[in-house]
Amino acid sequence: MNVKNKEFFVVIERDEDGVYVGEVPQLKACYSQGDTVDELMVNIREVIELCLEELEEELPMNEFIGVQRLVV
């Protein structure tokens, strides 16, 4: 599969312990964490590469629209 220069979006949150947690909504079960955003991005890149190795067919891509904040 050729995914060179494919763009992925990482949703980043900080948990109650101050650890940054990232998830790639475009890939099933693709998430990681890090003590800093920079460390998270290095870790999530490795996880993305592992997720892509597991895919046997062309990557189905949904269009990422964005994230909205809603206060209830």
Side-chain angles (χ1 to χ4, degrees):
M1 176 186 342
N2 183 9
V3 290
K4 186 174 183 177
N5 296 324
K6 182 66 184 151
E7 183 176 68
F8 293 95
F9 295 92
V10 181
V11 177
I12 301 172
E13 298 177 302
R14 189 169 51 210
D15 72 10
E16 62 275 358
D17 296 323
V19 175
Y20 293 92
V21 179
E23 178 184 4
V24 178
Q26 296 149 291
L27 298 171
K28 186 175 181 180
C30 186
Y31 50 87
S32 189
Q33 65 184 33
D35 291 330
T36 66
V37 172
D38 289 338
E39 181 182 348
L40 165 63
M41 296 309 287
V42 168
N43 295 343
I44 199 74
R45 177 183 292 275
E46 293 173 4
V47 174
I48 289 170
E49 291 170 354
L50 290 171
C51 288
L52 293 175
E53 287 176 9
E54 294 293 319
L55 293 174
E56 294 179 5
E57 49 191 58
E58 189 61 33
L59 180 65
M61 293 304 298
N62 294 328
E63 179 183 5
F64 183 79
I65 301 300
V67 177
Q68 295 288 317
R69 180 184 302 233
L70 177 64
V71 178
V72 178

